Amino acid sequence: MSAPLSIDVQHVSRQFVTKKGQTFWALRDVSLQVHEGELFGLLGPNGAGKTTLIKILSTLLLPTSGQVRVAGFDVVREADRVRRVINMVSGGEHSGYGILTVRESLWLFSQFHGLPSKVALARIDELLEVVGLAEHAHTRVNKLSTGMRQKMNFVRGFLNDPRVLFLDEPTLGLDVETSRILRSYVKRWVKEKPGRTILLTTHYMAEADELCDRLAIIEGGRILACDTPNNLKRTMQDEVVLRMEVYPSLTEPQRLAQLPGVLRLVPDRGQNGHQVLTWGLKDDGVIGTVIQALQQDGVRILRLEKADPTLEDVFMRMVGRRLTDGNGQSNHSA
Amino acid sequence: MATASPTTAPDALQPAGAPATSLPDLTLIQRLVLNLRAARARAYVRVVATGRELSWLAFEVVLPILSAAAYVFIYEALGAPPRYTGFVLLGTAMTAYWMNVLWSMASQFYWEKQSGTLEIYFLAPASRVALLLGMASGGIFMSTSRAASTLIAGSLLFGVRYEVASWPLAILAFVLTLAALYCLGMLFSSVFLMYGREAWHMASALQEPVYLLSGFYFPVRALGFWAAMGASLIPLTLGLDAMRQLMFGAPDAAFLPVGWELLGLAVLTVVYFLLALRSLAAMERLAKREGRLTLKWQ
């Protein structure tokens, strides 16, 4: 028997009206179920509807239609109950009062969840140790670097020991080591606390692959696929993924993308002025055609590998483009 | 860096081991404790800020006294009774509360939204009213430190003489004035939450006219009966007039008898509080429907 549902989204749509009076659907008929104890990921580019969905789940926004239950409670009719069992951390948030110290600020937020001060301060001290912020516990928030603030926000999300935690790009802008520590804590938290559930949105494919039991790929307000990372990657078994580093860069990648047997070509900037090309090919037989075409264009192949499909490849196949962040940078794992 | 295990601690709001859908209702006491904790925490920010950023002494004590000095010299030049100096000083001190209500109460949800803190408030189980009461009590602490500093410094500087008719009534008038004023602030905050972008302009537009309408620097009776009655919707109008009567003995400058003014303030407190509750609930629903609780809608 599978675990009880922790998040149950049924046919949810959300419409916004722009200032010019135009309507825009941020979510269209979205349905998904997340079980207790799951670490569930939502993958999608900016504007895909991830944050809209999280805001509906966390009672900050009403759905235009459909039903949503979190921890068994309806987010519209039983919002008060939902709020007792959830918390949320958004990447890049700058919440808090600069005049307070880190420890004071976290205590402040813990009080909104009704925690006794003694319990709250013990958790704060422990969690600050975990994220390596203990030595800044008495530093004012307005003196923290962006990364430190993000660590503080991360701690805030765990203070009330929520049954359901929403992590919206939690490692955005963090250094590699801090991201690793936070990921490790997230994994352990879900594992060691029965019945806890995390819904995570991230731009970082490796992060999603490492953390998530299941993933939904969302684009244009619709769920395109929902499965375990391995099962999603298995859907790529009918094609060959080829990665190569070339120099000079292709001037007309669109032309080569139309070669017979080429399903997809995604150019990306590499190091030292080189270009990285990721090809989705129908079968091995197309490799020769690709190499020949590059040679005809005077492009040298510096490195070539037949790669195992990654979530990135799955995403590109489904959405037709890379998952990029707001600055248009590629989504290398942090 | 340490690698501590996730903590487990008792929590009344989500009892350990309870199945997902069996979350017991909070008892009245639990609800009260939750909201008192939230209110205390929200007040704490302002109490701490008062002690940590002393720049307010320059901007919110010295500058108001300079403004008051202009009126004091005018009254002295015109040969007005000495109690008019006290009227001006009391009005000047009370500006701290009006400024606090406008900029740190009414506009607060707007600032919180801009800084990303509003969504943390709204996804927590504490009541919004508790948060506003926390803001109000912290604001009252903050403003009282400013008002008291102004009053003390101004009294020494201008040699103000007090003729207090009744301390208990004077304190009651002060408390009722603040109660009604901060309930009005709560009402404003819900409106500003919804129409946040215009909050700055709305607050600016309200700031100066109220100085005139409520008679911060002159007895409000000078406006004429009906204008003063209209201005009495702003609690400071009745409050200032009552306090002036009780602290300086000025029957000739009084607008209404003190008893009526205290009753009026009590009524305003109840009306504004009830309106604030309804407005807050309505505005929150509307904001959630229109996606105005947060900056990013996606």
Side-chain angles (χ1 to χ4, degrees):
Chain A
M1 196 178 82
S2 62
L5 285 182
S6 186
I7 296 171
D8 187 12
V9 179
Q10 298 284 352
H11 305 291
V12 164
S13 296
R14 171 69 214 200
Q15 186 185 46
F16 287 96
V17 180
T18 65
K19 284 176 196 156
K20 292 177 183 171
Q22 295 165 326
T23 56
F24 176 80
W25 289 95
L27 292 175
R28 297 162 194 254
D29 196 29
V30 167
S31 294
L32 63 88
Q33 285 75 42
V34 182
H35 296 273
E36 272 186 25
E38 258 194 308
L39 210 163
F40 188 91
L42 268 181
L43 273 179
N46 285 340
K50 307 184 298 287
T51 302
T52 298
L53 183 56
I54 282 198
K55 288 196 189 310
I56 289 173
L57 291 168
S58 56
T59 77
L60 294 173
L61 193 63
L62 296 176
T64 304
S65 63
Q67 285 201 321
V68 183
R69 297 183 85 81
V70 171
F73 304 113
D74 187 290
V75 295
V76 178
R77 287 182 287 108
E78 299 172 290
D80 285 346
R81 282 180 189 269
V82 172
R83 290 184 193 124
R84 283 165 62 189
V85 297
I86 62 167
N87 208 335
M88 178 169 80
V89 176
S90 298
E93 74 183 53
H94 291 283
S95 55
Y97 302 95
I99 194 85
L100 299 184
T101 66
V102 170
R103 198 166 185 261
E104 286 171 333
S105 199
L106 290 168
W107 169 81
L108 170 94
F109 291 126
S110 75
Q111 298 307 287
F112 301 155
H113 293 272
L115 261 68
S117 288
K118 200 174 163 188
V119 173
L121 291 172
R123 278 189 200 169
I124 289 164
D125 290 341
E126 189 176 331
L127 287 163
L128 287 178
E129 280 288 339
V130 171
V131 301
L133 208 56
E135 64 190 64
H136 293 285
H138 300 287
T139 303
R140 282 198 199 177
V141 172
N142 59 12
K143 305 278 184 208
L144 296 180
S145 66
T146 304
M148 286 174 181
R149 275 192 179 219
Q150 184 56 12
K151 286 179 184 175
M152 187 187 85
N153 290 327
F154 183 82
V155 169
R156 183 187 54 69
F158 290 86
L159 284 179
N160 63 325
D161 195 18
R163 283 188 196 169
V164 184
L165 178 61
F166 303 106
L167 297 176
D168 192 7
E169 309 277 359
T171 58
L172 192 70
L174 291 182
D175 60 78
V176 174
E177 179 61 8
T178 307
S179 299
R180 190 189 62 74
I181 290 165
L182 299 191
R183 282 200 296 265
S184 160
Y185 186 78
V186 164
K187 270 196 289 192
R188 209 166 51 251
W189 188 79
V190 173
K191 195 174 169 187
E192 294 179 9
K193 307 207 113 195
R196 298 303 194 250
T197 307
I198 289 182
L199 191 143
L200 167 85
T201 74
T202 180
H203 274 97
Y204 302 128
M205 292 288 187
E207 184 169 273
D209 205 353
E210 178 191 340
L211 288 177
C212 298
D213 301 312
R214 285 193 304 139
L215 285 169
I217 293 178
I218 184 169
E219 160 72 341
R222 294 181 199 277
I223 302 279
L224 301 182
C226 180
D227 212 328
T228 63
N230 281 339
N231 283 347
L232 286 171
K233 284 184 276 190
R234 267 186 216 116
T235 62
M236 299 288 293
Q237 280 178 339
D238 60 343
E239 68 177 66
V240 171
V241 177
L242 196 67
R243 283 188 230 290
M244 55 177 66
E245 195 172 332
V246 300
Y247 185 85
S249 299
L250 282 181
T251 47
E252 292 179 308
Q254 311 90 316
R255 187 173 54 79
L256 292 186
Q258 283 163 16
L259 287 172
V262 173
L263 303 171
R264 196 175 54 259
L265 168 58
V266 180
D268 202 6
R269 268 186 307 182
Q271 291 179 331
N272 305 322
H274 300 166
Q275 190 179 36
V276 175
L277 302 176
T278 304
W279 303 79
L281 306 176
K282 195 175 169 190
D283 53 50
D284 285 347
V286 187
I287 295 176
T289 313
V290 165
I291 292 172
Q292 199 177 12
L294 287 170
Q295 283 172 340
Q296 281 174 358
D297 280 9
V299 174
R300 276 193 301 139
I301 300 171
L302 306 172
R303 191 172 60 81
L304 182 146
E305 64 173 337
K306 200 171 142 187
D308 289 330
T310 63
L311 283 177
E312 176 91 52
D313 299 313
V314 177
F315 186 86
M316 283 193 288
R317 176 154 135 170
M318 289 189 171
V319 177
R321 58 191 162 106
R322 293 183 72 91
L323 183 62
T324 53
D325 67 18
N327 300 322
Q329 293 164 336
S330 65
N331 56 319
H332 297 301
S333 169
Chain B
M1 288 185 189
T3 53
S5 287
T7 55
T8 302
D11 193 337
L13 295 186
Q14 39 173 352
T21 51
S22 69
L23 198 64
D25 284 331
L26 291 179
T27 63
L28 186 64
I29 299 290
Q30 285 174 326
R31 206 177 288 272
L32 195 63
V33 168
L34 162 68
N35 289 313
L36 283 175
R37 280 181 179 148
R40 179 187 60 168
R42 190 58 191 81
Y44 178 79
V45 185
R46 293 187 170 173
V47 173
V48 163
T50 303
R52 286 191 187 159
E53 282 191 348
L54 293 172
S55 54
W56 61 266
L57 277 166
F59 295 106
E60 297 184 44
V61 176
V62 175
L63 294 181
I65 285 179
L66 286 178
S67 299
Y71 291 95
V72 168
F73 293 138
I74 290 169
Y75 284 131
E76 283 183 2
L78 293 173
R83 62 172 171 266
Y84 275 72
T85 304
F87 288 178
V88 170
L89 192 59
L90 188 63
T92 304
M94 294 303 284
T95 56
Y97 295 101
W98 177 238
M99 296 281 278
N100 187 256
V101 161
L102 267 189
W103 296 106
S104 299
M105 191 81 198
S107 319
Q108 191 63 29
F109 275 163
Y110 170 72
W111 306 129
E112 305 279 10
K113 180 169 141 182
Q114 296 299 110
S115 67
T117 314
L118 191 70
E119 64 181 40
I120 298 174
Y121 287 169
F122 278 78
L123 62 80
S127 118
R128 290 86 178 100
V129 177
L131 295 169
L132 284 171
L133 287 175
M135 277 183 208
S137 48
I140 287 172
F141 176 87
M142 194 181 234
S143 305
T144 300
S145 56
R146 289 149 170 72
S149 305
T150 304
L151 214 53
I152 292 167
S155 295
L156 293 173
L157 195 65
F158 302 126
V160 176
R161 280 183 302 163
Y162 295 88
E163 296 171 23
V164 181
S166 164
W167 274 110
L169 279 181
I171 291 169
L172 179 66
F174 175 69
V175 169
L176 281 175
T177 304
L178 293 195
L181 184 63
Y182 278 85
C183 284
L184 178 65
M186 285 169 66
L187 175 61
F188 280 166
S189 75
S190 59
V191 178
F192 280 32
L193 167 69
M194 197 55 202
Y195 304 101
R197 201 197 296 237
E198 291 80 26
W200 178 277
H201 303 297
M202 285 167 75
S204 292
L206 283 170
Q207 185 177 312
E208 299 292 337
V210 169
Y211 289 169
L212 171 70
L213 288 172
S214 289
F216 275 70
Y217 302 109
F218 60 90
V220 74
R221 181 179 176 166
L223 290 178
F225 182 78
W226 290 110
M229 277 301 280
S232 297
L233 287 173
I234 304 153
L236 284 165
T237 308
L238 294 177
L240 266 175
D241 199 67
M243 283 188 280
R244 279 171 177 157
Q245 290 185 62
L246 291 163
M247 293 171 73
F248 300 102
D252 55 320
F255 165 50
L256 290 174
V258 169
W260 283 108
E261 290 182 331
L262 295 183
L263 182 65
L265 287 170
V267 170
L268 286 178
T269 303
V270 174
V271 169
Y272 286 148
F273 184 69
L274 294 176
L275 282 176
L277 290 185
R278 289 184 70 97
S279 173
L280 201 59
M283 291 300 174
E284 183 182 343
R285 268 197 308 276
L286 192 61
K288 282 167 73 172
R289 199 162 61 229
E290 296 190 2
R292 296 202 197 186
L293 280 183
T294 53
L295 284 180
K296 291 183 293 182
W297 48 268
Q298 238 186 349

